[in-house]
Amino acid sequence: MLRVVVLGAAAGGGVPQWNCGCEGCRTARENGQELQRTQASVAFSSDSEHWFLINASPDLRQQLNATPQLHPKAGALRHTPIAGVILTNSEVDAVTGLLSMREGSPFTIYAHEKVLAILKANSIFDVLNAKNVRRQPIDINEPFEPRLRDGARSGLEVLPFAVSGKSAWYLEGKAHPGGDTGEGDTLGLKITDKSTGKCFYFIAACAEVTDALKAEIDGAALVFFDGTVWQDDEMIRAGLSHKTGKSMGHVAMSGDHGAIARLADLTLDRKIFLHINNSNPALLPSSPERQAAEAAGWQIPADGTEIVL
């Protein structure tokens, strides 16, 4: 049985963001935990005992403490059910949480060579001792089976595939440690429980919904999809940034070329937006944008949401 837990649903900075006074952040502060979100990550398991993370957000310590499924085993002095972390990109909000996993428990980091090159180029990630934390390269369109901490088979299959995107913003104008050509900076994942055939998709960053992407996910039981912004220029309109969503590697929810419209003709049992920015009005339950998203069959999840397939 495939279980997925939403550890965090927000984009970089979370909701509320520490230095932001936009409507979404103000409302989240005033209404307490109900509207607050940590930065995007999910955990999944096929046996409810061994878990894998997709991305490691800066809020990871908080997320793990808030998720009983990921607590140390009762009676154990040191233990974690986390067997591995799969990275879909190298943005700050996807990799920084690795530093919170430096206390000596073994696990494996799975990532494309371009992302691993970025970790290797930054010596702060050396706190993850190579004797305990193995770094395993993954290839586009090459399925792999993540292993348990003792090397045993997990019974899961992960298929990485390329989606439209860009390298991490902090590399703009700089040489990429993994090279400036080729794909690998932004991945989507298909996760399958091999014993049941149940699967889900995780796409936290996507600059464009292509026909190839639509064909890949059509018929899925569950899709987590990039919900960073409602409209492409919303951060500019709000005076929060000079960048559009697409220039940051994120397609808008709305509009003719947005995720809602482009994916409307697909057969998707459950559609969940993830990586939702504090500027996005769809975060607010009473907003017209939330109502439009939900009317189109999309869910805005709370942290801690669990789905069983």
Side-chain angles (χ1 to χ4, degrees):
M1 185 176 295
L2 189 56
R3 294 182 178 272
V4 190
V5 178
V6 177
L7 302 182
V15 184
Q17 181 175 303
W18 70 280
N19 65 342
C20 186
C22 74
E23 181 181 4
C25 289
R26 291 196 313 271
T27 304
R29 289 190 185 96
E30 293 166 359
N31 288 272
Q33 294 295 321
E34 181 182 356
L35 297 182
Q36 295 181 14
R37 303 287 192 277
T38 58
Q39 295 165 85
S41 176
V42 305
F44 64 92
S45 174
S46 62
D47 61 8
S48 301
E49 182 179 353
H50 304 92
W51 292 80
F52 294 88
L53 308 183
I54 302 180
N55 295 336
S57 90
D59 300 317
L60 184 61
R61 177 183 172 277
Q62 174 185 345
Q63 293 168 342
L64 298 186
N65 284 332
T67 308
Q69 299 94 318
L70 302 179
H71 289 177
K73 184 167 53 178
L77 185 61
R78 287 288 179 94
H79 170 264
T80 177
I82 299 171
V85 180
I86 305 167
L87 303 178
T88 64
N89 61 71
S90 57
E91 292 287 3
V92 169
D93 55 343
V95 304
T96 311
L98 292 172
L99 302 177
S100 296
M101 302 178 72
R102 66 188 183 279
E103 281 82 15
S105 292
F107 67 95
T108 301
I109 299 171
Y110 300 89
H112 191 274
E113 288 278 19
K114 294 189 76 174
V115 173
L116 291 179
I118 292 171
L119 299 184
K120 184 177 181 180
N122 191 329
S123 61
I124 194 171
F125 289 101
D126 291 343
V127 298
L128 298 164
N129 192 319
K131 293 180 179 179
N132 290 317
V133 182
R134 190 166 64 95
R135 302 184 185 187
Q136 176 66 47
I138 62 177
D139 295 319
I140 293 171
N141 296 328
E142 293 290 337
F144 68 95
E145 182 173 7
R147 298 299 180 117
L148 307 185
R149 290 187 304 279
D150 61 1
R153 294 182 176 277
S154 65
L156 294 158
E157 181 180 272
V158 180
L159 174 66
F161 55 93
V163 295
S164 176
K166 59 189 292 296
S167 59
W169 68 266
Y170 54 80
L171 290 175
E172 290 181 359
K174 301 177 182 178
H176 194 304
D180 293 317
T181 60
E183 299 173 314
D185 284 299
T186 306
L187 298 179
L189 301 175
K190 179 184 180 183
I191 312 294
T192 304
D193 181 343
K194 296 202 290 185
S195 67
T196 65
K198 299 291 187 179
C199 68
F200 74 94
Y201 285 87
F202 180 95
I203 305 164
C206 180
E208 181 184 6
V209 180
T210 64
D211 290 340
L213 177 60
K214 292 177 62 174
E216 171 63 45
I217 67 175
D218 195 12
L222 172 64
V223 174
F224 292 101
F225 198 82
D226 186 352
T228 307
V229 294
W230 177 257
Q231 58 184 13
D232 190 49
D233 64 347
E234 77 180 35
M235 295 186 71
I236 297 174
R237 290 179 178 225
L240 298 172
S241 174
H242 63 279
K243 293 185 175 182
T244 63
K246 189 166 186 177
S247 71
M248 296 186 292
H250 301 287
V251 66
M253 289 183 180
S254 67
D256 292 343
H257 301 287
I260 293 175
R262 288 285 289 152
L263 300 177
D265 60 339
L266 303 188
T267 302
L268 302 173
D269 291 347
R270 192 163 184 181
K271 304 178 288 188
I272 300 179
F273 279 125
L274 204 68
H275 198 270
I276 306 165
N277 200 54
N278 56 69
S279 62
N280 191 329
L283 278 169
L284 303 176
S286 60
S287 69
E289 292 83 2
R290 169 70 77 88
Q291 294 170 18
E294 291 180 343
W298 287 87
Q299 179 183 350
I300 308 296
D303 290 7
T305 298
E306 182 174 14
I307 300 102
V308 180
L309 297 176

